[in-house]
Amino acid sequence: MPKIFEGKIISLKMQKTAVVEVKRTLTHPVYKKVLRRSKKYKADTGELVLNVGDKVKIIETRPI
């Protein structure tokens, strides 16, 4: 089952590629504090017309 991430486009400076920032929250196992983590993924856009700030869903695939 492939993972699906929701994030926000932060850069469109490459051709046919967008940089998507995915934010997630987790709870510390001992101190129970809520931590915020983010990671940037590069996603293929193909022929889609996108803008910076758009919310998108990306899905993992095998290495190409």
Side-chain angles (χ1 to χ4, degrees):
M1 188 81 191
K3 295 177 187 170
I4 299 173
F5 301 106
E6 289 187 31
K8 192 193 258 186
I9 295 178
I10 58 172
S11 176
L12 288 168
K13 294 183 179 180
M14 294 174 276
Q15 294 178 2
K16 298 185 180 179
T17 304
V19 179
V20 179
E21 183 178 37
V22 176
K23 294 182 180 179
R24 65 187 181 97
T25 59
L26 61 109
T27 305
H28 191 279
V30 175
Y31 300 114
K32 308 302 181 200
K33 181 176 178 171
V34 177
L35 304 171
R36 289 180 292 215
R37 297 283 183 249
S38 65
K39 187 169 181 180
K40 296 176 186 175
Y41 294 95
K42 292 182 175 66
D44 179 55
T45 59
E47 300 299 323
L48 296 174
V49 178
L50 302 169
N51 295 312
V52 174
D54 288 351
K55 285 190 172 185
V56 294
K57 286 186 180 180
I58 56 176
I59 187 168
E60 75 174 353
T61 182
R62 64 180 177 82
I64 297 175

